[in-house]
Amino acid sequence: MRLAGKCAIVTGGASGFGLGIVDKFLAEGARVMIADINGDGAAALAAERGDAAHAQQVDVGHAASVSAMAEAAIEAFGQVDILINNAGVTHLPTPLDEVSEEDFDRVFNVNMKSVYLTARALVPHMKANGSGAILNVASTAGVSPRPNLNWYNASKGWMITATKAMAVELAPKGIRVNAINPVAGETPLLKSFMGEDTPEVRAKFISTIPIGRFSTPEDMGNAACYLCSDEASMVTGVAMEVDGGRCI
Ligand SMILES: NC(=O)c1ccc[n+]([C@@H]2O[C@H](COP(=O)([O-])OP(=O)(O)OC[C@H]3O[C@@H](n4cnc5c(N)ncnc54)[C@H](O)[C@@H]3O)[C@@H](O)[C@H]2O)c1
């Protein structure tokens, strides 16, 4: 019960890595808001998981929606100790000069603007409490980019810098800010990174991961649990690769 008594919001919590984090946090004693643009999916998962799980429909790129999420979490839990900025999207593998403005704006809003909007909505609350942990789900793409995912890569590099900048500013307020950098993982988003899901493309991706497998939602749940628990009380501003050695 490493997160007993903690209350967390996990954006994009209805699928993939977010759901892995939700399940680990529930298993470790936290109360969790599954906050997702897929409100029905979040509601169904929360109902399955019982009283410690709450569902909230949110668009993390939309200011009013993020404010409503923060208010609902504070109303449901009394306080928010942990914020996981996990919701993320990509454009399909495309030469950088051919990505549409619509796709660029979607990546910008969901992967970057969301970090600002959730901070604006929840940092004042955490400052008032004198404590908090924020975890940004960035990517190895922000450290060691692959071609044809340029604006996605850049959004994750932005997220890593935002993590460090937030950490240094918020440390005196008792708020820690960290990131994890997952390598390609077994989630519904994987196909979008690979372009096509064939044994050949999978083998090509795995050949770049020294540990020899894709990452999993459980890997992200375990890393997130450590970084958001009091065990990591001296750890802030890190962007921790969870990548089987891909970035070495
Ligand atoms: N899967 C990978 O290979 C991989 C690798 C590195 C980093 N990541 C990052 O991990 C995070 C989670 O990705 P995943 O692979 O679990 O993807 P996923 O598609 O399985 O899950 C993403 C979730 O976010 C939700 N979402 C999308 N847009 C939203 C919005 N505007 N507001 C609220 N919720 C929204 C979706 O409904 C979905 O439930 C993303 O930030 C992604 O960039 C993924």
Side-chain angles (χ1 to χ4, degrees), residues 61 89 91 99-113 151:
V89 294
H91 55 84
V99 173
S100 70
E101 189 172 349
E102 191 185 3
D103 274 357
F104 176 88
D105 286 345
R106 200 167 57 92
V107 169
F108 179 92
N109 282 326
V110 181
N111 296 9
M112 296 161 62
K113 190 176 181 188
W151 308 114

Side-chain angles (χ1 to χ4, degrees), residues 25-217:
F25 279 29
L26 289 171
E28 296 288 351
R31 298 169 72 197
V32 182
M33 174 171 276
I34 304 172
D36 204 288
I37 201 162
N38 175 4
D40 291 345
L45 287 163
E48 270 173 24
R49 279 153 177 79
D51 290 346
H54 292 248
Q56 177 75 17
Q57 203 272 342
V58 67
D59 178 350
V60 295
H62 189 274
S65 184
V66 170
S67 297
M69 173 190 78
E71 280 163 25
I74 293 166
E75 164 104 23
F77 300 142
Q79 68 184 69
V80 176
D81 306 290
I82 300 170
L83 164 67
I84 312 285
N85 284 313
N86 164 77
V89 294
T90 184
H91 55 84
L92 295 176
T94 312
L96 62 91
D97 48 331
E98 294 176 20
V99 173
S100 70
E101 189 172 349
E102 191 185 3
D103 274 357
F104 176 88
D105 286 345
R106 200 167 57 92
V107 169
F108 179 92
N109 282 326
V110 181
N111 296 9
M112 296 161 62
K113 190 176 181 188
S114 61
V115 179
Y116 158 72
L117 291 176
T118 56
R120 201 176 64 162
L122 284 159
V123 164
H125 172 76
M126 290 180 172
K127 281 182 176 169
N129 290 344
S131 68
I134 300 174
L135 183 74
N136 295 325
V137 179
S139 176
T140 54
V143 180
S144 180
R146 298 179 198 266
N148 292 322
L149 289 170
N150 195 77
W151 308 114
Y152 174 80
N153 296 333
S155 76
K156 295 301 186 176
W158 183 96
M159 201 182 207
I160 292 166
T161 301
T163 299
K164 294 179 185 185
M166 290 169 75
V168 75
E169 182 171 327
L170 296 176
K173 308 291 182 192
I175 303 167
R176 297 184 301 105
V177 188
N178 291 296
I180 53 175
N181 293 336
V183 77
E186 292 279 11
T187 76
L189 195 60
L190 181 60
K191 190 168 180 288
S192 305
F193 295 124
M194 294 195 301
E196 49 173 359
D197 191 352
T198 63
E200 293 73 29
V201 179
R202 281 183 168 248
K204 194 174 122 198
F205 267 68
I206 289 176
S207 71
T208 67
I209 306 172
I211 276 183
R213 66 170 175 84
F214 287 119
S215 68
T216 65

Side-chain angles (χ1 to χ4, degrees), residues 16-21 180 182-187 213-223 242-244:
F17 291 159
L19 184 53
I21 295 170
I180 53 175
V183 77
E186 292 279 11
T187 76
R213 66 170 175 84
F214 287 119
S215 68
T216 65
E218 290 73 26
D219 294 326
M220 300 317 142
N222 289 331
V242 186
D243 72 344

